[in-house]
Amino acid sequence: MAKKKFNLHLKGYVGGWDFDSDYVDYILEKNDGQEVNVLIDSLGGSVATALSISSAFRNHGNVNVHYVGMNASAATIASLGAKHVSIDASAMYLVHKCSNFVFKYGQLNADQLQTLIDECEKQKNDLQKIDLNIASAYAGKCKKDKEALLELMKVGGWLSAQEALEWGFVDEITDEPDDIAPAIDDATINAMASAGIPIPNIETKDKEGFFAKFLASLSSFFATNSSKKIITTAMDKTFKFVCELLQVEALTSNDGNITLTDDQLQSVEDRIAALEQQVADLTNDVNDKDSQIENLKKKPADASTSVVDDGKKDENFANDYVSSLNNAREMFNSIP
């Protein structure tokens, strides 16, 4: 089969830079009056953008859409204006009712609660109108009753390519040379779950899951040298006291490992033994001094002796006293 040339590749979020209505208008205008082939691979996005693109396809009048991968929500609306819609045999298709973000306060009084109820009621009515509008568009494409489409949208389950063909969403199942079976990764699964889109039962890119891959990485990390090739990175590191002890300027580290010779290890061993002995000696000295102190405390004190009077008098002290007394008396008598 010859490879089909696509004029447009619409992927990612509908309304994003790679699924933009302005760019679609530009390509359609550039190919005015010519056949335009469009490849779509998207989980959906903005309903407004999808309706705009659908209208642009219809106005152009000669647009073929081909679905690959997994397509849901607004991505399925975008093709409703195309002349012909095909789908890869391994692709999947999902329609569902519209949704909107709802923010709730943690605590409300009666008036605030009523305001919230009114706002939610308005959003509900708006969503019902949008659902009815989209169901009518689907019904026009599928040639079925819109109530049946509303019910299918309510269920919101994934359709295989064959089921999408049976419903009438697509006109043909084809296998393009570059089409591959859809596969999703952990990030896509999380995004789909956050958006409320059902997770299909198909092959995932991350078959083992995060935890299994984590265990595998641990096994790889602890593998022996014979089972894997280890690429090491050498780096000089300076450990001040160790380098002084070994009398070297620096130690070479290979991916966090440092190798020492037998002589270097013996030097470390001897130094540690010497330090251990110093600590032991100091501990013994302290214990000896403590013992001496305790022994002195327990030893009875020496008996005190009485003061011995040897009969000697301090004559200088008496003479000084008499002299001072006479001087004081003379000073007193000299006062008029």
Side-chain angles (χ1 to χ4, degrees):
M1 181 185 297
K3 182 176 180 181
K4 179 182 290 187
K5 178 181 179 181
F6 291 103
N7 307 93
L8 271 172
H9 291 78
L10 301 179
K11 298 187 176 185
Y13 181 80
V14 178
W17 67 270
D18 49 356
F19 209 132
D20 179 63
S21 59
D22 289 338
Y23 184 65
V24 170
D25 291 339
Y26 167 75
I27 295 298
L28 294 179
E29 182 178 357
K30 185 178 179 181
N31 293 274
D32 186 27
Q34 302 178 34
E35 184 181 59
V36 175
N37 296 316
V38 181
L39 180 73
I40 296 182
D41 181 5
S42 168
L43 290 173
S46 169
V47 174
T49 300
L51 290 173
S52 177
I53 292 175
S54 174
S55 179
F57 287 168
R58 184 177 297 106
N59 292 333
H60 184 276
N62 194 10
V63 176
N64 301 315
V65 169
H66 181 67
Y67 283 108
V68 298
M70 301 176 62
N71 295 273
S73 188
T76 65
I77 299 173
S79 69
L80 294 178
K83 179 183 69 173
H84 185 270
V85 180
S86 60
I87 188 171
D88 178 52
S90 60
M92 302 193 74
Y93 196 94
L94 170 67
V95 297
H96 65 86
K97 300 190 75 172
C98 297
S99 61
N100 198 4
F101 289 107
V102 177
F103 299 94
K104 297 180 181 178
Y105 296 99
Q107 185 173 349
L108 299 174
N109 60 32
D111 295 334
Q112 294 170 331
L113 186 59
Q114 185 59 54
T115 300
L116 178 60
I117 292 173
D118 294 340
E119 292 176 353
C120 289
E121 189 67 30
K122 182 180 182 302
Q123 290 185 21
K124 175 186 173 183
N125 293 334
D126 290 341
L127 289 175
Q128 287 177 335
K129 291 179 182 178
I130 296 173
D131 288 334
L132 185 59
N133 183 42
I134 294 174
S136 298
Y138 283 145
K141 170 65 179 174
C142 298
K143 304 297 187 291
K144 296 183 182 296
D145 185 76
K146 65 181 178 182
E147 296 299 329
L149 272 301
L150 278 173
E151 187 62 28
L152 178 64
M153 292 166 62
K154 181 178 180 180
V155 174
W158 283 95
L159 303 176
S160 65
Q162 183 60 40
E163 290 172 326
L165 177 64
E166 292 172 357
W167 270 93
F169 291 110
V170 300
D171 305 306
E172 183 184 8
I173 298 177
T174 61
D175 286 324
E176 298 295 336
D178 292 339
D179 291 346
I180 59 174
I184 56 177
D185 54 19
D186 290 339
T188 304
I189 291 175
N190 292 333
M192 293 171 66
S194 300
I197 299 176
I199 309 300
N201 185 23
I202 64 174
E203 181 181 1
T204 61
K205 295 179 182 178
D206 303 320
K207 296 181 180 179
E208 298 178 341
F210 172 77
F211 187 68
K213 288 187 291 184
F214 173 72
L215 293 179
S217 66
L218 287 181
S219 300
S220 175
F221 178 77
F222 289 108
T224 60
N225 292 346
S226 60
S227 62
K228 70 172 184 176
K229 181 180 180 180
I230 300 178
I231 300 176
T232 59
T233 303
M235 180 183 298
D236 288 342
K237 291 188 177 182
T238 302
F239 299 94
K240 179 179 178 182
F241 297 110
V242 176
C243 289
E244 288 181 356
L245 174 62
L246 300 178
Q247 297 181 351
V248 296
E249 294 182 357
L251 297 172
T252 301
S253 173
N254 291 314
D255 287 347
N257 299 316
I258 295 177
T259 303
L260 299 179
T261 65
D262 290 343
D263 292 340
Q264 289 175 326
L265 285 174
Q266 189 60 51
S267 298
V268 174
E269 180 72 15
D270 294 342
R271 181 55 176 165
I272 293 176
L275 291 174
E276 289 284 349
Q277 186 60 49
Q278 289 183 15
V279 172
D281 293 342
L282 289 173
T283 302
N284 292 333
D285 289 344
V286 171
N287 292 336
D288 291 342
K289 290 180 180 179
D290 290 341
S291 298
Q292 293 176 8
I293 293 173
E294 292 298 325
N295 291 333
L296 288 174
K297 288 181 179 179
K298 295 177 181 179
K299 184 178 179 180
D302 294 335
S304 299
T305 57
S306 58
V307 177
V308 177
D309 185 4
D310 56 5
K312 296 182 179 180
K313 305 295 182 180
D314 190 354
E315 297 180 354
N316 292 333
F317 172 79
N319 292 334
D320 292 340
Y321 175 76
V322 172
S323 175
S324 298
L325 182 61
N326 291 332
N327 290 335
R329 183 175 295 170
E330 290 177 359
M331 291 177 63
F332 178 77
N333 292 334
S334 64
I335 297 175

